[in-house]
Amino acid sequence: MLIIPVKEGENIDRALKRYKRKFDRTKTMKNLRARKNFTKPSVANRAQRIKASYVQRLRTQEEVG
């Protein structure tokens, strides 16, 4: 549960912006979506390997050219 203390005389829009920023940083939505459906460990590992190879390919291309 996220708690955002609102200071005396603080604008509600500013507090809402702090809440949204904190919400994004804690990756709450990402965790909720991940829990919504089960992903087999083998599928998760495969996706992680594919992503790692993609990132590695981008970095090598950046170094070369």
Side-chain angles (χ1 to χ4, degrees), residues 23-61:
F23 185 81
D24 287 339
R25 287 183 183 159
T26 56
K27 301 179 184 175
T28 307
M29 281 306 288
K30 189 173 187 179
N31 289 336
L32 286 174
R33 288 184 180 136
R35 290 181 187 175
K36 195 172 183 180
N37 53 1
F38 178 74
T39 306
K40 289 173 40 177
S42 61
V43 174
N45 290 338
R46 189 178 314 128
Q48 190 176 15
R49 272 188 256 120
I50 290 170
K51 183 178 177 182
S53 66
Y54 173 74
V55 169
Q56 187 66 35
R57 195 175 331 118
L58 287 178
R59 288 185 179 160
T60 56
Q61 285 177 355

Side-chain angles (χ1 to χ4, degrees), residues 4 10-21:
I4 306 295
E10 184 180 17
N11 191 354
I12 192 70
D13 292 329
R14 190 174 191 89
L16 185 62
K17 189 172 186 176
R18 281 194 1 242
Y19 171 78
K20 287 180 181 179
R21 194 177 319 129

